[in-house]
Amino acid sequence: MIESDKKIREQICLEVINHPNSVFNVLTPEEKENIQNNMSCSFFKKGEYIYKEGEKPLGLISLKEGKVKIFKEGVGGREQIVRMAKPVGFIGYRALFAEENNIASAVAIEDSVTCTVTYDMILKLIKTNPELSLSIIRSFATELGFSNNRTVTLTQKHIRGRLAESLLFLRDTYGFEDDGMTIKVYLSREDIANLSNMTTSNAIRTLSTFASEGVIAIDGRKIKILDKVKLDRISKLG
């Protein structure tokens, strides 16, 4: 690795460790130095796998830049998106701490950068720093609450409610563009369908219906929320 590339990667790792929303903020300066020395940085192009189902996790992965979908393959190879990640969230942690192989895959939906801390280093810090342990537990508990809510949504709501819920989830996860209306992530119709537990054709039809009702506007993969109140009502009514 050339010196300039090494410095860039070191700087990226430092930014993850010192990010205001990072769980690593509770570490002492010495612990931060230790974790930096045991952290590696990786770059992924749009569409590249970060890890695959069945692989053994190598460490705790934090997303530094970009957007990532986590999905499982179901019957007939159909994907079910179970999570969407944004900086500086963790991915692949369940299998890591369970000491199991990954039960899902992660793919970059735009160019992304990850930083991975070795499992041994994380375990050492968890055992010696109660604040870090509590911070990680809180992060995991938040994700568990989200998963529980999504389970209810995907199994009990009708198609319109599921799709409305997915659009609101994408809004809450990634926010809006500068216009305050366009969701700041551009998914394919297939990905929207896989996030909403429906066929691609149903997703296309329901998006078109929402557009005709004035709830959203569609421009290719860009989705603009025109009526937030109505979209929220559709989601709640299911």
Side-chain angles (χ1 to χ4, degrees):
M1 183 186 301
I2 61 175
E3 190 64 26
S4 60
D5 186 45
K6 181 180 179 181
K7 287 182 179 179
I8 290 172
R9 291 172 184 267
E10 288 176 351
Q11 181 60 35
I12 289 172
C13 291
L14 269 177
E15 289 174 1
V16 168
I17 294 169
N18 294 317
H19 193 282
N21 296 328
S22 172
V23 298
F24 301 132
N25 261 335
V26 299
L27 299 178
T28 66
E30 182 181 355
E31 288 171 332
K32 287 183 178 181
E33 184 177 351
N34 288 336
I35 211 168
Q36 185 185 0
N37 292 334
N38 289 272
M39 180 181 277
S40 60
C41 174
S42 301
F43 299 84
F44 298 90
K45 292 291 186 183
K46 178 181 177 180
E48 285 188 331
Y49 278 84
I50 296 171
Y51 60 80
K52 292 184 178 181
E53 186 173 344
E55 291 179 345
K56 180 180 179 181
L58 300 177
L60 184 61
I61 305 172
S62 181
L63 183 62
K64 167 63 172 67
E65 295 176 7
K67 299 178 179 72
V68 172
K69 66 176 181 179
I70 295 92
F71 64 92
K72 277 188 66 66
E73 282 197 12
V75 178
R78 180 183 167 191
E79 293 180 6
Q80 175 64 56
I81 296 178
V82 295
R83 253 185 84 214
M84 302 288 292
K86 65 176 182 178
V88 284
F90 294 129
I91 57 175
Y93 56 80
R94 192 215 64 83
L96 179 71
F97 287 102
E99 297 186 340
E100 299 174 353
N101 290 341
N102 294 315
I103 61 169
S105 301
V107 167
I109 57 175
E110 67 179 37
D111 291 353
S112 300
V113 181
T114 65
C115 292
T116 304
V117 184
T118 63
Y119 184 43
D120 289 343
M121 186 72 246
I122 283 293
L123 281 185
K124 180 180 178 181
L125 289 173
I126 285 174
K127 291 175 181 177
T128 58
N129 190 317
E131 284 190 69
L132 176 64
S133 301
L134 184 57
S135 185
I136 290 176
I137 288 171
R138 282 175 177 154
S139 178
F140 292 175
T142 299
E143 290 294 342
L144 180 60
F146 165 76
S147 296
N148 289 343
N149 288 333
R150 286 290 291 170
T151 298
V152 173
T153 294
L154 296 178
T155 56
Q156 296 188 7
K157 289 186 177 181
H158 297 295
I159 286 176
R160 283 172 60 88
R162 294 203 302 271
L163 189 58
E165 169 89 6
S166 292
L167 295 179
L168 292 172
F169 161 66
L170 292 173
R171 177 203 65 185
D172 294 342
T173 302
Y174 298 115
F176 287 127
E177 298 285 4
D178 293 339
D179 64 4
M181 292 187 290
T182 304
I183 300 173
K184 206 171 184 177
V185 62
Y186 312 129
L187 297 182
S188 67
R189 298 295 185 264
E190 184 179 8
D191 277 343
I192 291 175
N194 293 339
L195 181 64
S196 310
N197 190 29
M198 63 181 66
T199 64
T200 303
S201 58
N202 277 336
I204 292 170
R205 279 195 296 269
T206 308
L207 284 171
S208 296
T209 301
F210 285 175
S212 66
E213 294 172 353
V215 180
I216 64 172
I218 303 170
D219 180 12
R221 293 191 177 189
K222 292 183 179 181
I223 297 177
K224 183 180 294 185
I225 298 178
L226 302 178
D227 192 333
K228 301 173 185 177
V229 174
K230 189 170 183 179
L231 187 64
D232 187 61
R233 186 164 64 246
I234 293 170
S235 174
K236 288 179 178 178
L237 291 174

